[in-house]
Amino acid sequence: MTYRSEQFVLFEGTFMPIVIRNYTEADFDEMIALQAACFPPPFPEELWWNRQQLIEHVQRFPEGAICIESNGTLIGSITSLRVSMNDNDLSHRWEVVTDNGYIRTHDPNGNALYIVDICIHPAFRKAGLGKWLMNAMYHLVIKLDVQRVLGGGRMPGYGAVANEMTAAQYIEKVVAGTLRDPVVSFLLTTGRMPVMLIEDYLEDEASKNYALLMEWKNPFHT
């Protein structure tokens, strides 16, 4: 099962052609370069995708390996795996669920699609590409007839105000629209809904290691 969608997006006053498709081994060099552009120092280089991780993505769950290209250049990607989670046991760490990004934890019969990573090249972050990548995941959830999309949203705006409020208070303000968080606010605009706050989700000083677990329920799943 392959995914491919061709369309235009409005960017800097003109319509830019994009193709949303599955990434393959032929894209690995560009995928690694994209990670370097999206997560420059002081972000640790060893946390960028490596070739073995990308091999696992395209071999274990190629349907969940999606990228955006424009005029032949990769400018965004999103990666997912299938997991089984129930509402009584949702607290987790990113590295455990995703197998540190290698997705060897992928469950072909899982009841949810879990977002491992999403990145957009900094030069194109005002083109609305993140929403189109998330839409591709929603299409996949419907195609697979699983219950929902799940994923932890980093809270990189929290670190600056952590001395003034708790993480729960911060998220309450972000959801109310009185504060803006670069990640959580974006995910809200894509239709993702808050589920629960997770402590110690990921080593992430800007978020004080917190994340907001967010979901999108499959409206066709019975």
Side-chain angles (χ1 to χ4, degrees):
M1 180 174 61
T2 59
Y3 186 90
R4 184 179 178 89
S5 175
E6 299 182 19
Q7 60 201 69
F8 289 92
V9 295
L10 187 61
F11 178 60
E12 295 183 341
T14 61
F15 284 101
M16 180 177 73
I18 62 170
V19 178
I20 307 172
R21 60 171 176 82
N22 298 108
Y23 61 80
T24 68
E25 188 168 355
D27 300 305
F28 285 1
D29 288 342
E30 280 197 276
M31 286 287 293
I32 293 169
L34 176 63
Q35 289 264 301
C38 291
F39 307 112
F43 191 90
E45 181 177 340
E46 60 269 20
L47 295 183
W48 298 340
W49 288 142
N50 60 55
R51 295 189 70 85
Q52 189 55 48
Q53 287 170 318
L54 294 169
I55 288 170
E56 297 286 353
H57 299 172
V58 302
Q59 290 185 353
R60 289 183 184 271
F61 190 40
E63 299 94 332
I66 301 284
C67 67
I68 288 184
E69 66 176 7
S70 182
N71 297 315
T73 299
L74 244 62
I75 56 176
S77 72
I78 191 168
T79 305
S80 65
L81 74 159
R82 285 182 70 166
V83 299
S84 289
M85 286 190 176
N86 62 71
D87 289 335
N88 297 321
D89 187 24
L90 290 175
S91 186
H92 62 277
R93 285 183 59 84
W94 178 89
E95 62 195 42
V96 175
V97 170
T98 71
D99 184 30
N100 285 301
Y102 286 89
I103 75 163
R104 290 170 295 209
T105 46
H106 171 65
D107 176 1
N109 299 309
N111 62 13
L113 199 67
Y114 192 92
I115 304 299
V116 180
D117 174 81
I118 180 171
C119 64
I120 301 295
H121 193 287
F124 297 95
R125 285 182 179 163
K126 294 184 179 180
L129 302 179
K131 290 184 179 181
W132 289 112
L133 285 174
M134 202 62 67
N135 277 344
M137 291 292 109
Y138 300 160
H139 295 163
L140 182 57
V141 160
I142 292 169
K143 176 68 176 178
L144 297 175
D145 191 29
V146 296
Q147 294 176 4
R148 57 185 171 177
V149 171
L150 279 172
R154 295 176 55 245
M155 302 159 41
Y158 178 55
V161 297
N163 292 332
E164 305 168 25
M165 63 187 76
T166 66
Q169 290 170 331
Y170 174 77
I171 285 301
E172 183 178 350
K173 291 179 181 295
V174 171
V175 173
T178 57
L179 284 179
R180 185 185 183 281
D181 183 86
V183 174
V184 175
S185 298
F186 156 70
L187 292 173
L188 288 169
T189 69
T190 70
R192 295 270 292 277
M193 298 290 287
V195 177
M196 66 177 289
L197 191 65
I198 299 179
E199 292 185 69
D200 199 29
Y201 175 75
L202 184 69
E203 298 269 342
D204 177 19
E205 179 60 26
S207 304
K208 298 300 180 183
N209 297 351
Y210 281 96
L212 181 66
L213 184 65
M214 304 178 74
E215 69 177 357
W216 184 85
K217 291 183 178 179
N218 180 352
F220 297 100
H221 187 77
T222 57

